[in-house]
Structures are given as structure tokens and as C-alpha cells.
Amino acid sequence: MAFSTHNRGGRRRTLILASAALLTAASISIPAAAFADVSDNGGATRNDGDKSAALRASIVDGPAKNVILLIGDGMGDSEITVARNYEYGAAGELPGIDALPLTGQYTTYSVYRDGANKGKPDYVPDSAATGSAWSTGTKTFDNAISVDIDGNPQDTLIEIAKANGLKTGNVSTAEIQDATPAVEVAHVDARSCYGPDSATCGDDALAAGGLGSISEQLLDTRADLTLGGGSTSFGQTAKAGEWNGETLFAQAEDRGYQLIDDAAGLAGVTTADQTSPVLGLFTPGNFPTRYAATTATVGGADGAPVTCQPNPDRLGTDLSLKSLTSKAISLLDTDDNGDKGFFLQVEGASIDKQDHAANACGQIGETIDLDEAVQAALEFAKTDGNTLVIVTADHAHTSQIVDSTPPAGLSTALTTADGTVMKVAYGTAAAGGSQQHTGSQLRIAAYGPGGAQVVGLTDQTDNFFTMASALELNRDTASLSSGATASLSSTTVEPGAELTVSASGFQGDRQLAAVVASTPTDLGSRDVIDGTADYTFAAPTEPGVHTVTLTGRQSAKAVVVEFTVAAAGGPATPPTTPGGAAGDGSGASGSGTASASGVLGNTGAVVAPFLVFGGLLLAAGVVLVLQRRRRHA
């Protein structure tokens, strides 16, 4: 649904502030039951009086200026409960995840790609299909990154938000090419197509005529800010395209990215925009976990219960997920994009990875890390008053809290904040294997304008439309380039002279292609920076009229401008300006028809002296005729 803008006034602001106040009060207040023993009558209740007023205040109409989406990979209800029990006790709460006032559940199934079941539900999804669902609104097959079941690319929230002028960010504790961060920036059939060396890229590889690997497409998508792991893939060398033979790191630097790899470098970053986007890669692969591993074993829950220990390999707290989230918000919350707001996706990645490994302490620590990031997002949203925060997961997972040690499955015992033992079991793979995802529905919770859309039972694809509608995004991105124009530094030049063509209004595109004719010369690709791009090139040596055709790679919008190559010493012309007398530089998409006004303007300038001279001759002739008539009178 679309939101109207009439609610931006004082009443709406009051409701937002009231909601923030109630949320803050809820997060610090302690129900009377908390002072009693949980075994007493009412001793375990969580409600502290009537919640109707708080619930009403939490429902705030959209639109929102900003959206922050936080994803706990593999964070099903069981994983949330395991972490809460361990860290805060059974009667406690996670200060971030449990604080969001509007809560629902959503379904997560993927669909089959081919065969007799093509398009039908696949009940247990992977992170690629689920991430594609919320990032594009399209269900797809397991392994697919933001393409439909026929392999057609689907526009992502980061791509759409960027085209609409919002700032964008992508943060993860995984390799930045991993499925969840990848779904916002790439379109491939195989999620393992990390870099140019990946054998699984197939026809998605640049060398095969595709869009390239995930890492290469990430550079093309050009989010304002990207933070995570995965530097290894950027050390690979491009196999095709303009940067063939160069590493992706060298390519990123050549394209204006700010490259950082440590906390000091991140602390020194003061801007993140399209001119100087930030690419921070802090580890070769995934981030180390918060807690050291405690791998489950057969019969393990019968052993002595353990307490999770800090992981000595963990990155410093200045690179924790909370710190990365806070830094990302500070860099995106600026008014240098016309105060249009931002979209930020944040992933706590290794809840899933440690669940796969049957590592209870590992998954607990990563859930706590995500909760701290949620707290940072909520703190900003409550102060800002115009930010929608959504917290959810991509798919459910294996871990279960059990009463007794399973005889054949893997298990471990933990001492919780209550001082009692919690047994956690993993029963979908043998020791050394990878525990499986499960197909249950998931919690989704929200705070802020438009958050009521998550209430009740929805589907993962609904989340895409909830966020796009809250931000009032125009999803027809091609239309955002419909008014594109171009201008030349001069319309008449000598053979081989330097010319610059400047394009503007290509908001719906991320790259442009350019070709000079009549002898076709490919000028290559340029990144579109806030709707603009420039090419500087040498004019052809053949005299005559030539054209430059600029084409948006995403929108297919074509703009054609003409220029004349004249012999040395010929008259020069001033630069063209869009809509000016020397030529408007605009063309119709796909028409192949150049605007002639620039050439006509030039012709008029050249012919004008001859018109003046002709006028003088005509005047002289009239005078002679009159004098002759007087002599014969």
C-alpha cells in the first residue's frame, strides 16, 4: 500500500515521540512480578498493566524517511530463546530484539526452479532464496541471488532506493559476498559465484557475457557504504571488461572507492556518498565469533554444563556489529542527498553458521551481537522520529531446547543466567556434518512509521513491499532516467581534438555505455554518480557530422548528441547546454534520432555574416534605383 504524506505534521510527530517514550519506558521498567519468585501466582507475568495505550501509540502511519533492516541469519524462535535464557534468564528479555512493539510472523518457503514442481513451494529454504524474497519481493529457488525462477534479474531495495536518491548501506559479519548481503547488490544463479575465479559463475561470468561475479556486481551497484568480511575475493583478477587483468581492489580504487581494512581506517571515514563510497573489508572471510566454540557431541548434554568463554580471536569492539551499525547510521544520516533519507541492511551472519556447526555458544554470542546492533538502531530511531526499524531472520534452524539428552543426536549443556542447566540439541546431521535449516515461520518485529504492516501472519516477500512503501519508492527505476540529457563541450572541433560529453538525469541507471559514430568507437562504461557521468575522448579525424550515443545500462534510455569535425582553422563553437540555443542534447530512448538543434544553431552562426552583407547590397541597390528615377522625372 502507498502512504500519504499528509501525516508528516505535528500530530504524527507527537505520536512518534509518544511511541518512543513508551518504548523507552518499557525497556527500563520492571513489572511488579519481577520482584516475586516465578513460582508465585503471577510471578512470571511480563505485562505490567494495560498495554492498549502503548500499542496504539506504537502504530504510526508512514511514510518513513529511513529504513533499517536487521537480519539474524538462521535466527528462529528457538535461537532467540536459547540466547535469552543463557544471557538474561527465562524471565529476562533481549533489550533490543524483544523491545520492538509491533510483532508478527512470516512464512519463508522458496520455490522450485524446474521440473514438475516448477514454481511450487519448497518448504525448507536457503539464505539466498529467502534474502531475495525480502530484497526484491519475488520468491525464487534455493541458491539464487535476486533472480526469478527463470534467471531474470529482479531489482533490489538498495538498487531501487539508490535510484530514488536515498543513501544506501550494507553491513554484515559474513563475507560481503555471502547470500544475505549479496541479495542487495547482485544477480546470479549460484550464490557461490563470489569472484572472477569462481567456477560456479557459469554464464553469469563477465567473460561469458554476464553481469559478473557477486564482488564485481557489488562494485557496479555502488552502495554508499559496504562493511563486512570477504577481502579474499577482491584480491582476484578480472577476466573480462574494462578492468581485465586488474584485481578487484585495484578496480575499486580506480572507481573512487574509499578502501579500509581496520578500525582506525573506519574511524577516520567522515563521508560515504556516490563520489567516494566506502568499502570496508576487515577479514579475509567471515568475522570471528564473540564466544569460543563449544561443539555438541552425542550424549554431550549429560556432561558438566559449560559457560561460554570469550573468543580470543574476536575483532575489537570498535568492529563489533553494534559499532559498525552505529558508524553506518552516522555516515548515511546526512542531508547531502537533499534530505531524502537512507536504507540500511545489517546482518548478524553467524547465528546460522554456528547452528550449522552445532556450536551453542557460537550462536548465542552472535545473537547477543545482533541484539546490541538492534539497540543502536532503536536508539537512533527514537531520537530521529522518522525511521522504520525491522528485525527478523531469513530462515529457521536446527537448535532446540530439550528436556533430556537425546540418545543419538548431538547435544550440549549450558549454565544459564538463572544458574540452572539448559540442554541444547542438534538432530538434523551427524557429528561433523552440517545441521540443516528448518521450514517454520519466523518472528518479524518493527518500530516506527509503517511498522504495523508486519503484524499478523505475512510472507517474507511482504517485507519488501512494507519497506518500499514506507520509503515511498518509485519502483519503476527506468522511468527515473526518462528525462536524461547530454551536452558537449563543443559542437564543432578540429580532427582529433579533445571533446567532453556530460550526461545528467540518469537517476535510474548505475552505469552508462557510450559509442561515437559514424565510425563506431566504444568509449566503455562509466559509473553514474547522482545521475551524472562524463566522457572525454578524441574526436574522429574524418570531417563531417558525428554522434555520441549514451545508453543507460539498466534503463536502456538512449541519448544522442551531434558534433561536427571541421578542417583545421574552421570556426569553433561554444559548448552546448541542455535546452540552450546551441542544442538541447537530448534524444528519445531507443529512437536513434539525434537532436538537430545544435547543428542548426551552428549553421546560423556561420551564415549570419553573409546575410548581413547581402542586406547591405540590397540597400545599395534600392538607393541606385531611386536616384535613377529622379534623373528621369
Side-chain angles (χ1 to χ4, degrees):
M1 61 176 286
F3 294 103
S4 94
T5 58
H6 75 279
N7 288 314
R8 289 189 184 272
R11 180 175 178 275
R12 180 174 179 276
R13 179 76 179 176
T14 300
L15 285 172
I16 293 169
L17 293 175
S19 176
L22 286 165
L23 177 62
T24 302
S27 66
I28 61 175
S29 64
I30 303 174
F35 294 101
D37 193 287
V38 293
S39 61
D40 292 342
N41 178 254
T45 59
R46 293 182 181 273
N47 286 339
D48 185 18
D50 192 301
K51 298 171 67 173
S52 301
L55 181 58
R56 281 192 292 267
S58 69
I59 300 174
V60 180
D61 292 342
K65 178 182 173 183
N66 314 303
V67 168
I68 304 173
L69 172 66
L70 298 107
I71 301 292
D73 199 312
M75 188 180 71
D77 285 347
S78 183
E79 285 69 30
I80 293 172
T81 309
V82 167
R84 185 194 301 115
N85 286 354
Y86 178 82
E87 196 76 8
Y88 297 101
E93 68 174 36
L94 294 161
I97 294 170
D98 289 334
L100 285 86
L102 299 167
T103 302
Q105 294 274 304
Y106 70 17
T107 50
T108 66
Y109 61 92
S110 55
V111 290
Y112 289 103
R113 179 182 192 180
D114 46 30
N117 289 328
K118 181 177 180 179
K120 294 182 179 180
D122 180 353
Y123 298 114
V124 181
D126 76 345
S127 295
T130 53
S132 297
W134 78 65
S135 69
T136 71
T138 303
K139 280 198 179 290
T140 191
F141 57 94
D142 290 352
N143 208 36
I145 298 291
S146 295
V147 296
D148 65 15
I149 57 175
D150 295 316
N152 301 307
Q154 305 291 294
D155 288 343
T156 73
L157 274 167
I158 279 185
E159 292 168 345
I160 298 167
K162 178 184 169 183
N164 279 262
L166 280 71
K167 300 189 80 168
T168 56
N170 198 4
V171 176
S172 178
T173 56
E175 295 167 299
I176 207 65
Q177 307 85 358
D178 203 11
T180 300
V183 297
E184 292 290 359
V185 298
H187 309 273
V188 294
D189 288 348
R191 59 181 288 181
S192 57
C193 176
Y194 272 25
D197 292 347
S198 299
T200 55
C201 289
D203 58 8
D204 288 318
L206 275 180
L211 296 175
S213 66
I214 293 168
S215 296
E216 290 167 301
Q217 290 189 55
L218 181 153
L219 296 178
D220 287 343
T221 299
R222 203 176 179 90
D224 295 288
L225 175 138
T226 305
L227 303 175
S231 62
T232 296
S233 294
F234 282 85
Q236 296 176 14
T237 300
K239 305 295 189 291
E242 282 190 70
W243 288 275
N244 186 16
E246 293 187 33
T247 67
L248 302 193
F249 271 129
Q251 179 185 154
E253 189 170 22
D254 191 36
R255 296 171 76 171
Y257 279 85
Q258 302 178 68
L259 302 178
I260 51 176
D261 61 7
D262 59 20
L266 182 60
V269 174
T270 57
T271 59
D273 54 28
Q274 285 301 288
T275 302
S276 300
V278 174
L279 178 59
L281 302 174
F282 306 105
T283 53
N286 302 314
F287 282 21
T289 58
R290 181 185 190 120
Y291 290 144
T294 52
T295 304
T297 59
V298 175
D302 285 335
V306 300
T307 301
C308 298
Q309 300 299 313
N311 181 1
D313 296 326
R314 187 193 185 200
L315 302 180
T317 55
D318 43 7
L319 290 177
S320 69
L321 189 58
K322 177 182 179 180
S323 295
L324 296 183
T325 301
S326 295
K327 183 68 173 183
I329 292 171
S330 70
L331 291 172
L332 297 177
D333 181 38
T334 63
D335 58 7
D336 57 0
N337 63 337
D339 205 31
K340 290 186 177 181
F342 65 82
F343 170 72
L344 171 63
Q345 177 176 295
V346 177
E347 181 201 22
S350 287
I351 304 168
D352 168 82
K353 299 179 192 308
Q354 303 313 310
D355 216 328
H356 278 301
N359 175 10
C361 279
Q363 76 181 55
I364 289 169
E366 298 311 287
T367 308
I368 301 305
D369 273 2
L370 178 69
D371 187 71
E372 291 175 350
V374 173
Q375 293 175 57
L378 282 174
E379 181 181 0
F380 168 77
K382 288 187 287 184
T383 302
D384 174 70
N386 205 9
T387 297
L388 172 61
V389 177
I390 295 178
V391 180
T392 188
D394 50 355
H395 56 76
H397 222 304
T398 287
S399 66
Q400 293 292 322
I401 303 169
V402 296
D403 187 37
S404 59
T405 303
L410 307 178
S411 61
T412 189
L414 302 165
T415 301
T416 71
D418 294 316
T420 56
V421 174
M422 175 174 64
K423 295 183 177 183
V424 181
Y426 301 85
T428 60
S434 179
Q435 302 298 315
Q436 299 178 41
H437 299 172
T438 58
S440 68
Q441 62 196 42
L442 297 171
R443 181 201 291 199
I444 178 171
Y447 167 82
Q453 294 297 106
V454 310
V455 173
L457 180 64
T458 59
D459 184 72
Q460 205 155 44
T461 52
D462 282 300
N463 201 18
F464 167 82
F465 296 99
T466 294
M467 293 183 285
S469 295
L471 292 170
E472 295 190 310
L473 299 180
N474 180 353
R475 296 192 290 117
D476 182 7
T477 56
S479 71
L480 299 174
S481 289
S482 62
T485 61
S487 61
L488 286 162
S489 56
S490 180
T491 55
T492 301
V493 295
E494 295 182 357
E498 185 176 274
L499 261 177
T500 298
V501 59
S502 300
S504 61
F506 277 96
Q507 270 77 15
D509 289 280
R510 299 182 292 282
Q511 281 78 39
L512 293 187
V515 176
V516 177
S518 48
T519 302
T521 303
D522 187 353
L523 300 182
S525 178
R526 289 288 184 278
D527 290 316
V528 176
I529 309 299
D530 297 323
T532 68
D534 295 327
Y535 286 86
T536 298
F537 60 97
T541 56
E542 306 86 1
V545 177
H546 299 264
T547 62
V548 183
T549 301
L550 301 165
T551 305
R553 290 196 180 277
Q554 285 73 41
S555 71
K557 167 70 177 179
V559 175
V560 184
V561 287
E562 288 185 353
F563 63 97
T564 300
V565 174
T573 60
T576 65
T577 55
D584 67 8
S586 64
S589 176
S591 69
T593 302
S595 167
S597 58
V599 175
L600 290 174
N602 179 54
T603 302
V606 173
V607 170
F610 296 99
L611 293 175
V612 173
F613 182 63
L616 291 172
L617 287 175
L618 180 61
V622 171
V623 170
L624 289 172
V625 169
L626 291 173
Q627 290 177 342
R628 187 173 180 182
R629 285 180 176 176
R630 289 192 188 100
R631 285 197 294 267
H632 289 281

